[in-house]
């Protein structure tokens, strides 16, 4: 690329970077706007429904269909007022990422082919059968026998991504085997809670629950799109296959924690704003040691939610 063209690209990005600002001075003004959190629940659910849902989340009370219908009604109203047109059961199959199948809220009001209405029931909220024929499954059944079921995880609040209401769920087989990463995580957290609570009660009988917390760091590289377009190794594999040998020691410590370039800071402001809208508590940012390497880190939160947020953060980035 000619230096003249590169300079023009650089100036254009600098100009755009200065335009990227959050609409409010205070993060707390818009934090969690697209999350069906406690504030949204209080507004869109009745007091009895809200209290019952909290018992499901905090005490493991069984979710019955009547309660699910009431929650689904309030959740749909909240989501559609924010522009959602579809919903999905958002789960974590054994593919090192997330999966989703989007369905619209529409259904027939009467006979097929007549009036259309927006509808979202407790049955659709609580469970779906999204198929499992092409997901990794650990060899527990043949492809032609595939059955995969998603079940709502109420401990991780629903959120809106684009125009879709995303409902965090587990993913299991017809016979109950885990087909995802969330189900064994929830089982592990339950085991930790029980064991730690038993120990704590030797000292304080008032302790009834122990919550594990986690704060995922994310280190990432930013590559100028113009430079990326002339690097076929990055395009085809997502990593460097040719070039200078990497530094093996601390030769590049001048970049580490150095002043953040303005274009990079603009990117950070942009994705932090989007993350905060989704309730992801991103807090720290700085240069990492390698050229073009950077890091973000959130405030610690409950482990199950932290894992969901980490996967969502990678989509945002």
């Amino acid at each position: 690329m000619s230096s003249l063209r590169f300079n023009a690209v650089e100036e254009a990005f600098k100009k755009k970077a200065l335009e990227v600002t959050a609409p409010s001075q205070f993060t707390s003004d818009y934090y969690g706007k697209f999350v069906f959190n406690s504030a949204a629940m209080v507004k869109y659910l009745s007091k009895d429904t809200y209290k019952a849902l909290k018992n499901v989340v905090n005490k493991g009370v069984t979710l019955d269909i009547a309660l699910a219908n009431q929650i689904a009604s309030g959740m749909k109203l909240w989501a559609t007022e924010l522009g959602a047109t579809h919903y999905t059961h958002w789960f974590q199959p054994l593919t090192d990422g997330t999966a989703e199948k989007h369905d619209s809220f529409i259904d027939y009001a009467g006979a097929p082919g007549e009036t259309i209405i927006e509808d979202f029931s407790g049955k659709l909220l609580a469970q779906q059968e999204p198929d499992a024929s092409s997901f990794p499954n650990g060899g527990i059944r043949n492809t032609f026998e595939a059955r995969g079921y998603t079940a709502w995880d109420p401990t991780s609040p629903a959120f809106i991504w684009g125009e879709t209401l995303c409902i965090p769920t587990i993913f299991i087989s017809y016979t109950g085997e885990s087909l995802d990463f969330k189900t064994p995580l929830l089982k592990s957290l339950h085991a930790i809670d029980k064991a730690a609570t038993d120990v704590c009660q030797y000292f304080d009988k008032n302790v009834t629950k122990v919550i594990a917390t986690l704060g995922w760091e994310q280190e990432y590289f930013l590559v100028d799109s113009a430079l990326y377009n002339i690097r076929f190794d990055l395009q085809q594999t997502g990593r460097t296959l040719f070039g200078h040998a990497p530094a093996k020691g601390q030769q590049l410590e001048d970049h580490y924690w150095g002043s953040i370039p303005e274009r990079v800071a603009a990117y950070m402001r942009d994705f932090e704003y989007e993350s905060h809208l989704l309730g992801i508590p991103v807090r720290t940012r700085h240069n990492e040691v390698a050229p073009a390497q950077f890091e973000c880190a959130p405030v610690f939160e409950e482990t199950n939610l932290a894992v969901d947020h980490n996967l969502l953060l990678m989509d945002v980035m």
Side-chain angles (χ1 to χ4, degrees):
M1 175 184 292
S2 69
S3 59
L4 182 62
R5 182 184 169 197
F6 181 78
N7 289 337
V9 172
E10 181 80 12
E11 289 302 317
F13 270 104
K14 284 183 178 180
K15 182 178 179 181
K16 180 64 177 176
L18 296 175
E19 297 172 357
V20 180
T21 55
S24 171
Q25 180 181 356
F26 301 106
T27 303
S28 56
D29 290 342
Y30 55 85
Y31 185 83
K33 177 181 178 181
F34 294 142
V35 181
F36 196 61
N37 52 24
S38 293
M41 291 177 190
V42 168
K43 182 177 179 181
Y44 288 91
L45 303 178
S46 69
K47 289 184 179 180
D48 289 342
T49 301
Y50 175 71
K51 182 178 179 181
L53 177 56
K54 284 298 182 183
N55 284 334
V56 171
V57 173
N58 297 326
K59 299 179 181 180
V61 176
T62 302
L63 177 74
D64 59 48
I65 190 62
L67 177 59
N69 282 329
Q70 295 169 17
I71 298 168
S73 178
M75 189 182 292
K76 179 184 76 78
L77 180 59
W78 166 78
T80 52
E81 287 184 358
L82 288 173
T85 59
H86 290 65
Y87 67 92
T88 183
H89 275 203
W90 186 73
F91 58 100
Q92 303 167 24
L94 306 177
T95 55
D96 296 328
T98 58
E100 53 201 65
K101 173 182 68 73
H102 296 196
D103 289 304
S104 70
F105 288 115
I106 66 169
D107 201 352
Y108 290 121
E114 295 184 358
T115 308
I116 287 292
I117 60 171
E118 283 74 30
D119 185 43
F120 184 56
S121 67
K123 180 180 178 181
L124 297 176
L125 168 64
Q127 181 177 314
Q128 278 192 340
E129 182 183 355
D131 188 25
S133 58
S134 296
F135 284 118
N137 58 74
I140 63 173
R141 75 276 188 273
N142 295 317
T143 299
F144 70 89
E145 297 172 322
R147 286 293 184 273
Y149 297 88
T150 51
W152 179 34
D153 172 18
T155 62
S156 181
F159 59 91
I160 296 174
W161 178 239
E163 296 177 347
T164 304
L165 169 64
C166 298
I167 303 160
T169 63
I170 63 171
F171 186 46
I172 58 175
S173 72
Y174 177 77
T175 50
E177 286 91 347
S178 301
L179 299 177
D180 65 346
F181 290 109
K182 178 184 274 281
T183 305
L185 173 65
L186 291 175
K187 290 179 179 179
S188 300
L189 292 174
H190 176 71
I192 290 173
D193 173 24
K194 185 177 184 306
T197 300
D198 289 345
V199 172
C200 289
Q201 289 201 342
Y202 282 114
F203 306 96
D204 185 351
K205 295 296 183 182
N206 294 318
V207 176
T208 58
K209 188 176 183 62
V210 174
I211 298 173
T213 62
L214 177 65
W216 282 98
E217 293 182 351
Q218 273 290 354
E219 295 184 6
Y220 58 93
F221 290 86
L222 296 178
V223 181
D224 186 287
S225 58
L227 299 177
Y228 172 84
N229 288 334
I230 60 174
R231 287 288 299 275
F232 295 110
D233 56 338
L234 293 179
Q235 294 176 40
Q236 297 297 321
T237 69
R239 63 193 64 206
T240 298
L241 299 181
F242 60 84
H244 289 291
K248 299 298 184 181
Q250 299 296 322
Q251 296 94 322
L252 298 169
E253 71 274 6
D254 54 332
H255 178 70
Y256 185 60
W257 280 28
S259 298
I260 301 173
E262 178 54 37
R263 285 175 58 197
V264 174
Y267 168 82
M268 291 175 169
R269 288 195 296 271
D270 197 15
F271 94 74
E272 285 178 358
Y273 170 61
E274 296 294 335
S275 298
H276 291 154
L277 287 173
L278 293 165
I280 305 173
V282 177
R283 182 176 187 176
T284 301
R285 62 190 186 197
H286 63 79
N287 293 2
E288 259 297 336
V289 69
Q293 184 186 17
F294 306 93
E295 180 181 304
C296 68
V299 180
F300 275 61
E301 54 187 339
E302 191 275 325
T303 299
N304 178 44
L305 184 57
V307 172
D308 283 358
H309 280 169
N310 185 58
L311 290 164
L312 183 57
L313 178 65
M314 289 189 282
D315 280 341
V316 173
M317 293 177 72

